[in-house]
Amino acid sequence: MNQDAVPASSVSLPGLVNILYRGRRLVLLATAAGLVAGLAYSFLVRPLYRATAQVRPGIVSYSDFGAPVREWALKDIVRWFRTDLYWEDLRQLEPFAERKGPPPILADHIPEGPQYQQGGDVITLTCLDADPLQAVAILRTAIGSFNSQASQDSLGSTMHLTLGGARVRMEKIRNDIVQIEAARERTRLDIAARERALDLLEADERRLALRIERLQGERAWRDSAALT
């Protein structure tokens, strides 16, 4: 066995430098190719800008327990945007007339709002586009399209929910009126009881004054009788 043999796993710095020096052309060529590819990507590929909007389905009434009743469920609104139903209105606009397909809009919802406030359900809409102004215009047009189509498709539902909410509110108002009437009657009875107590107190004061006056008269008579 040769005792001077170098183990295969050992790496020396001079040997590594020698390898890089012998392959310097390949290293320089790879570096130049990466630099050219990066410059070409930065010039040819336009950056994407993000536009976001947060929407909340409107409350049309309240339940007996005070919970909000919404005309549209969150999952239905998310499904409406994910199925590109806004494209029917968007494609009629001049900036999108030449576009072959709908611009994608990401829709997701937050189950609860900040600090667990009632009615905090929020849907976040996100649009990516090379033009930031166009991304904003896409979101605004899509939201307007939803409002327009929703008002046409759910007019009967809106009226039904609104009437239901009105009945709940009217019943609550009736209960409030009954409670107010009961409170007013209790207040009237309390005032009458206090007035009777004041009358009794005044009668006691008059009796006490008469007794004091009588006692003073008796004392004056005794004093005059003692002097004579």
Side-chain angles (χ1 to χ4, degrees):
M1 177 180 294
N2 188 3
Q3 299 294 330
D4 296 332
V6 180
S9 59
S10 64
V11 178
S12 62
L13 181 59
L16 182 60
V17 172
N18 186 26
I19 293 174
L20 293 176
Y21 180 76
R22 285 183 296 176
R24 61 186 181 278
R25 294 182 180 179
L26 181 61
V27 172
L28 292 176
L29 183 61
T31 304
L35 181 60
V36 171
L39 293 176
Y41 181 84
S42 62
F43 283 110
L44 297 178
V45 179
R46 299 179 62 184
L48 294 178
Y49 296 91
R50 181 196 306 268
T52 59
Q54 289 185 335
V55 296
R56 179 182 290 113
I59 299 174
V60 295
S61 64
Y62 290 89
S63 65
D64 296 338
F65 303 99
V69 177
R70 301 185 184 276
E71 181 180 358
W72 281 79
L74 294 176
K75 60 180 181 180
D76 295 332
I77 299 178
V78 171
R79 187 182 302 113
W80 191 91
F81 281 98
R82 288 181 178 177
T83 52
D84 304 332
L85 294 180
Y86 52 87
W87 179 236
E88 293 298 326
D89 292 335
L90 199 65
R91 67 194 304 176
Q92 299 177 9
L93 301 179
E94 183 178 354
F96 308 100
E98 302 297 331
R99 198 176 185 119
K100 296 182 179 180
I105 295 180
L106 303 178
D108 199 2
H109 68 89
I110 303 174
E112 292 181 346
Q115 300 178 358
Y116 303 97
Q117 293 180 357
Q118 181 176 329
D121 293 326
V122 173
I123 298 174
T124 301
L125 304 176
T126 305
C127 178
L128 298 176
D129 197 89
D131 186 354
L133 297 179
Q134 184 164 313
V136 174
I138 291 172
L139 283 185
R140 288 180 177 175
T141 306
I143 294 173
S145 175
F146 173 82
N147 292 333
S148 176
Q149 295 187 26
S151 63
Q152 298 174 9
D153 296 341
S154 60
L155 180 59
S157 176
T158 302
M159 293 177 62
H160 174 72
L161 292 176
T162 303
L163 290 175
R167 294 190 186 97
V168 172
R169 294 179 186 178
M170 290 175 63
E171 186 63 28
K172 184 177 183 301
I173 291 173
R174 293 192 188 97
N175 294 333
D176 292 341
I177 291 175
V178 172
Q179 294 179 4
I180 292 173
E181 291 292 339
R184 185 171 64 179
E185 183 64 21
R186 288 194 300 269
T187 303
R188 188 185 64 81
L189 295 175
D190 186 54
I191 292 174
R194 292 179 183 273
E195 288 178 347
R196 288 195 298 269
L198 289 175
D199 292 339
L200 293 174
L201 183 60
E202 290 177 356
D204 291 339
E205 289 179 351
R206 287 195 296 269
R207 286 195 297 270
L208 183 60
L210 292 173
R211 184 177 179 183
I212 292 174
E213 185 178 355
R214 187 174 62 254
L215 292 174
Q216 289 177 348
E218 292 176 356
R219 180 178 179 181
W221 180 82
R222 287 195 299 268
D223 292 343
S224 62
L227 292 175
T228 58

